[in-house]
Amino acid sequence: MGRIPGRTQDGGPEVAFRFTPAAGSVRPAGIDWSPAVTASPLRVALYVPALAGGGAERAAAVLASGFREAGCRVRLFVDFDAPENRGFLDPGVTVTALGRGHGAAVRALAGHLRAGRGDPAARLDVVLAVGGAANVKLTLARLLARASVPVVLSYHGRSDVGRGLLGGLAFRLAPVLTRLAARSVCVSQALAHHLVEEWRGAAARIAVIPNAVPVEAALPAADAAALLARPPVILSVGRLAPEKEFPTLIRAFARLPGEPRLVILGEGPERAALEALAGSLGLGDRVALPGYAASPWPAYAGARVFALSSRSEGFGNVVVEALASGLPVVATDCGGPREILDDGRHGALVPVGDEAALAAALAEALARPGEPGPRRDRAARYATARVVADYLALFGGVGHGGLSSSPGPA
């Protein structure tokens, strides 16, 4: 079992790696966590290939906006413009398109990192990569630029979920990447263990900070009676891709008595197969796949229960969104959701791929949705301001001697 040094929120001694939900992060030892005192705002840049439809991409937009709200000067580098998550981005964030193609993007990004050496106005205090491909490309750009700006990488999903060539390289090169970076962030304890134990990431240079979720935008149910008064709608949200295991959810739904409805928000390559499966089970118009929703909050507000059927989740933004909306959550025990649900205290956990267990838990939640208040309280732990504060603490260590911008020991 790998061990990741950390300190509790009250500054206690080094402990075995653990997730501290109230603080939202595990903080590596040896860092000055006091807020940085600077004469000018912190200049933060984020790099994500595009603000396309996905959890990591949404996290990038929300984080950039949160840094802006916290008083930072924020730049967002993207390879190309994409509209899906642009609505989550504060208009005050400067967006720079680097150009399509990995090589072009790396060279352009290196130019921006290099520019700070001769132009104080262009200098960056820290750059955060969001996602596996961004981790690889930002590291290459920094090496190409021979820049001293500290780089923080972030991992948002496991290696066994389709990540593309560069996303896979982010894990295969983890022993090198996590030592070249000032720090690498994992969005859950489970993902950090995966990175360290299976891919030999540098444990001492890894922190856990969950995704920021704009829970303040939720439209929560008032109480249990209000939930029970809603139509029996089960909502799920995610890309229509194999790792989300929507066939298991549809088969579980087919076992339920009565006439509930299932709504799956998202788009992806599995659409035709899922529609065919629903038709073959005779579910007719009781299963709806309305596509991607830039703002899912109204859909949560119209549902009685939320379901997640994934085989693997690095974190699970949608679980937090459901809790913020006051919905009972039924989720497969696939990584991040266990931590969000606090080992099942705030929602039901069922084995991955077990449609009978999933159906039983959904039936129970439909019949007895319970009080939304404790769920909203749990979701507040992942509010943007809290997560941004953890990142700013990490960045403060970058600039004040607590965090080296050059390779260090494991």
Side-chain angles (χ1 to χ4, degrees):
M1 177 73 68
R3 292 171 64 84
I4 298 180
R7 289 189 179 272
T8 58
Q9 189 181 14
D10 60 6
E14 185 172 291
V15 295
F17 170 64
R18 64 175 180 172
F19 181 55
T20 311
S25 70
V26 171
R27 297 171 170 179
I31 296 177
D32 176 9
W33 293 109
S34 59
V37 178
T38 59
S40 60
L42 191 70
R43 289 166 288 198
V44 178
L46 298 87
Y47 171 53
V48 65
L51 292 180
E57 292 80 1
R58 181 167 296 185
V62 171
L63 270 178
S65 301
F67 292 139
R68 166 79 174 172
E69 178 69 19
C72 301
R73 293 180 181 174
V74 186
R75 296 187 68 179
L76 178 67
F77 293 112
V78 296
D79 293 357
F80 59 92
D81 192 32
E84 288 88 347
N85 281 306
R86 192 66 183 258
F88 289 89
L89 192 65
D90 187 304
V93 174
T94 301
V95 180
T96 301
L98 303 171
R100 289 181 180 269
H102 298 316
V106 168
R107 289 190 295 273
L109 188 54
H112 288 287
L113 298 181
R114 193 183 299 116
R117 294 194 305 218
D119 181 4
R123 184 172 65 83
L124 298 169
D125 294 314
V126 63
V127 185
L128 171 67
V130 181
N135 291 343
V136 174
K137 291 162 73 174
L138 178 57
T139 301
L140 288 174
R142 183 172 179 270
L143 293 172
L144 181 63
R146 298 182 180 180
S148 61
V149 56
V151 162
V152 175
L153 309 182
S154 67
Y155 287 79
H156 292 256
R158 286 173 55 94
S159 62
D160 49 9
V161 174
R163 301 279 161 210
L165 175 61
L166 291 182
L169 277 176
F171 285 92
R172 289 192 287 274
L173 296 177
V176 175
L177 295 179
T178 56
R179 286 167 175 82
L180 288 176
R183 282 290 186 266
S184 294
V185 171
C186 289
V187 294
S188 68
Q189 176 187 14
L191 184 57
H193 280 303
H194 177 65
L195 185 63
V196 171
E197 295 174 7
E198 299 186 39
W199 293 100
R200 296 183 294 118
R205 301 178 74 82
I206 292 172
V208 171
I209 304 177
N211 279 342
V213 180
V215 297
E216 65 280 356
L219 306 169
D223 51 34
L227 279 174
L228 197 56
R230 292 180 179 179
V233 174
I234 299 167
L235 175 68
S236 193
V237 181
R239 188 166 183 266
L240 307 184
E243 64 269 19
K244 301 300 182 181
E245 279 292 345
F246 287 126
T248 297
L249 176 57
I250 292 174
R251 287 192 290 267
F253 174 75
R255 293 171 173 252
L256 297 178
E259 295 290 320
R261 294 183 62 246
L262 173 63
V263 177
I264 302 174
L265 287 185
E267 197 52 80
E270 296 290 298
R271 168 176 287 278
L274 295 175
E275 290 174 336
L277 175 61
S280 70
L281 295 173
L283 297 175
D285 59 1
R286 291 201 294 125
V287 174
L289 284 78
Y292 177 81
S295 177
W297 300 114
Y300 289 108
R304 190 188 296 181
V305 173
F306 180 80
L308 182 139
S309 53
S310 301
R311 69 176 69 144
S312 176
E313 288 286 349
F315 180 64
N317 293 0
V318 293
V319 175
V320 177
E321 292 173 354
L323 292 176
S325 302
L327 297 185
V329 172
V330 177
T332 47
D333 192 2
C334 59
R338 170 173 284 276
E339 296 172 38
I340 297 169
L341 298 175
D342 194 14
D343 295 329
R345 292 178 180 87
H346 297 280
L349 290 165
V350 301
V352 173
D354 190 335
E355 63 188 66
L358 182 57
L362 289 172
E364 173 66 19
L366 283 169
R368 283 170 283 278
E371 289 293 338
R375 299 170 192 143
R376 298 199 303 266
D377 292 343
R378 179 65 178 175
R381 298 172 183 265
Y382 304 97
T384 303
R386 290 196 178 198
V387 175
V388 164
D390 282 319
Y391 269 103
L392 292 180
L394 191 67
F395 296 164
V398 170
H400 288 77
L403 197 62
S404 171
S405 61
S406 60

